mmCIF file of all heavy atoms in Angstrom:
data_model
loop_
_atom_site.group_PDB
_atom_site.id
_atom_site.type_symbol
_atom_site.label_atom_id
_atom_site.label_comp_id
_atom_site.label_asym_id
_atom_site.label_seq_id
_atom_site.Cartn_x
_atom_site.Cartn_y
_atom_site.Cartn_z
ATOM 1 N N GLN A 259 -0.669 23.835 27.021
ATOM 2 C CA GLN A 259 -0.185 24.891 26.150
ATOM 3 C C GLN A 259 1.332 25.042 26.237
ATOM 4 O O GLN A 259 1.970 25.487 25.285
ATOM 5 C CB GLN A 259 -0.877 26.211 26.501
ATOM 6 C CG GLN A 259 -2.354 26.259 26.135
ATOM 7 C CD GLN A 259 -2.584 26.140 24.631
ATOM 8 O OE1 GLN A 259 -1.824 26.688 23.828
ATOM 9 N NE2 GLN A 259 -3.615 25.401 24.241
ATOM 10 N N SER A 262 4.967 22.343 23.188
ATOM 11 C CA SER A 262 4.839 22.818 21.816
ATOM 12 C C SER A 262 4.347 21.719 20.887
ATOM 13 O O SER A 262 4.842 20.583 20.923
ATOM 14 C CB SER A 262 6.181 23.347 21.308
ATOM 15 O OG SER A 262 6.089 23.675 19.930
ATOM 16 N N CYS A 263 3.410 22.088 20.017
ATOM 17 C CA CYS A 263 2.968 21.148 18.985
ATOM 18 C C CYS A 263 4.079 20.845 17.992
ATOM 19 O O CYS A 263 4.000 19.863 17.244
ATOM 20 C CB CYS A 263 1.739 21.698 18.257
ATOM 21 S SG CYS A 263 1.899 23.399 17.650
ATOM 22 N N ALA A 264 5.136 21.653 17.973
ATOM 23 C CA ALA A 264 6.260 21.414 17.074
ATOM 24 C C ALA A 264 7.132 20.243 17.517
ATOM 25 O O ALA A 264 8.095 19.896 16.837
ATOM 26 C CB ALA A 264 7.113 22.681 16.948
ATOM 27 N N ARG A 307 -3.183 22.554 16.688
ATOM 28 C CA ARG A 307 -4.006 22.948 17.844
ATOM 29 C C ARG A 307 -5.481 23.074 17.487
ATOM 30 O O ARG A 307 -6.291 23.477 18.319
ATOM 31 C CB ARG A 307 -3.497 24.277 18.404
ATOM 32 C CG ARG A 307 -2.157 24.168 19.139
ATOM 33 C CD ARG A 307 -2.335 23.520 20.481
ATOM 34 N NE ARG A 307 -1.067 23.413 21.225
ATOM 35 C CZ ARG A 307 -0.984 22.879 22.439
ATOM 36 N NH1 ARG A 307 -2.072 22.404 23.030
ATOM 37 N NH2 ARG A 307 0.182 22.801 23.047
ATOM 38 N N ILE A 392 5.575 24.698 10.462
ATOM 39 C CA ILE A 392 4.718 25.851 10.739
ATOM 40 C C ILE A 392 4.870 26.284 12.192
ATOM 41 O O ILE A 392 5.018 27.475 12.497
ATOM 42 C CB ILE A 392 3.245 25.509 10.420
ATOM 43 C CG1 ILE A 392 3.052 25.340 8.915
ATOM 44 C CG2 ILE A 392 2.300 26.587 10.968
ATOM 45 C CD1 ILE A 392 1.696 24.780 8.537
ATOM 46 N N GLY A 393 4.841 25.314 13.103
ATOM 47 C CA GLY A 393 4.991 25.633 14.518
ATOM 48 C C GLY A 393 6.324 26.293 14.826
ATOM 49 O O GLY A 393 6.399 27.264 15.598
ATOM 50 N N GLN A 394 7.390 25.786 14.208
ATOM 51 C CA GLN A 394 8.716 26.373 14.426
ATOM 52 C C GLN A 394 8.776 27.791 13.871
ATOM 53 O O GLN A 394 9.356 28.696 14.494
ATOM 54 C CB GLN A 394 9.778 25.482 13.779
ATOM 55 C CG GLN A 394 9.960 24.144 14.481
ATOM 56 C CD GLN A 394 10.724 23.133 13.639
ATOM 57 O OE1 GLN A 394 10.934 23.325 12.439
ATOM 58 N NE2 GLN A 394 11.145 22.042 14.261
ATOM 59 N N GLN A 396 6.236 29.824 13.542
ATOM 60 C CA GLN A 396 5.446 30.668 14.434
ATOM 61 C C GLN A 396 6.222 31.032 15.702
ATOM 62 O O GLN A 396 6.181 32.175 16.165
ATOM 63 C CB GLN A 396 4.129 29.963 14.797
ATOM 64 C CG GLN A 396 3.156 29.849 13.628
ATOM 65 C CD GLN A 396 1.970 28.952 13.957
ATOM 66 O OE1 GLN A 396 2.137 27.865 14.500
ATOM 67 N NE2 GLN A 396 0.771 29.415 13.629
ATOM 68 N N GLN A 397 6.931 30.055 16.258
ATOM 69 C CA GLN A 397 7.722 30.334 17.452
ATOM 70 C C GLN A 397 8.803 31.374 17.161
ATOM 71 O O GLN A 397 9.030 32.295 17.954
ATOM 72 C CB GLN A 397 8.349 29.035 17.971
ATOM 73 C CG GLN A 397 7.352 28.085 18.611
ATOM 74 C CD GLN A 397 7.964 26.729 18.959
ATOM 75 O OE1 GLN A 397 7.608 25.709 18.413
ATOM 76 N NE2 GLN A 397 8.918 26.733 19.879
ATOM 77 N N MET A 401 4.979 34.080 17.742
ATOM 78 C CA MET A 401 3.562 33.742 17.761
ATOM 79 C C MET A 401 3.330 32.481 18.587
ATOM 80 O O MET A 401 4.239 31.655 18.751
ATOM 81 C CB MET A 401 3.049 33.506 16.331
ATOM 82 C CG MET A 401 3.216 34.680 15.395
ATOM 83 S SD MET A 401 2.847 34.231 13.667
ATOM 84 C CE MET A 401 1.111 33.784 13.789
ATOM 85 N N LYS A 402 2.121 32.321 19.059
ATOM 86 C CA LYS A 402 1.729 31.082 19.716
ATOM 87 C C LYS A 402 1.582 30.005 18.650
ATOM 88 O O LYS A 402 0.799 30.158 17.709
ATOM 89 C CB LYS A 402 0.402 31.288 20.453
ATOM 90 C CG LYS A 402 -0.124 30.060 21.151
ATOM 91 C CD LYS A 402 -1.454 30.385 21.817
ATOM 92 C CE LYS A 402 -2.071 29.149 22.450
ATOM 93 N NZ LYS A 402 -3.382 29.465 23.087
ATOM 94 N N PRO A 403 2.336 28.911 18.741
ATOM 95 C CA PRO A 403 2.302 27.920 17.658
ATOM 96 C C PRO A 403 0.975 27.170 17.609
ATOM 97 O O PRO A 403 0.470 26.706 18.624
ATOM 98 C CB PRO A 403 3.456 26.982 17.982
ATOM 99 C CG PRO A 403 3.695 27.143 19.435
ATOM 100 C CD PRO A 403 3.322 28.546 19.782
ATOM 101 N N THR A 404 0.435 27.059 16.388
ATOM 102 C CA THR A 404 -0.762 26.252 16.142
ATOM 103 C C THR A 404 -0.444 25.023 15.295
ATOM 104 O O THR A 404 -1.210 24.070 15.281
ATOM 105 C CB THR A 404 -1.833 27.071 15.408
ATOM 106 O OG1 THR A 404 -1.343 27.459 14.110
ATOM 107 C CG2 THR A 404 -2.226 28.316 16.218
ATOM 108 N N CYS A 405 0.666 25.085 14.549
ATOM 109 C CA CYS A 405 1.143 23.944 13.753
ATOM 110 C C CYS A 405 0.153 23.501 12.687
ATOM 111 O O CYS A 405 0.098 22.313 12.337
ATOM 112 C CB CYS A 405 1.513 22.761 14.656
ATOM 113 S SG CYS A 405 2.830 23.119 15.834
#
Side-chain angles (χ1 to χ4, degrees):
Q259 290 297 322
S262 174
C263 50
R307 288 286 181 180
I392 291 170
Q394 291 165 347
Q396 291 171 314
Q397 288 173 245
M401 301 170 63
K402 179 181 176 181
T404 63
C405 299

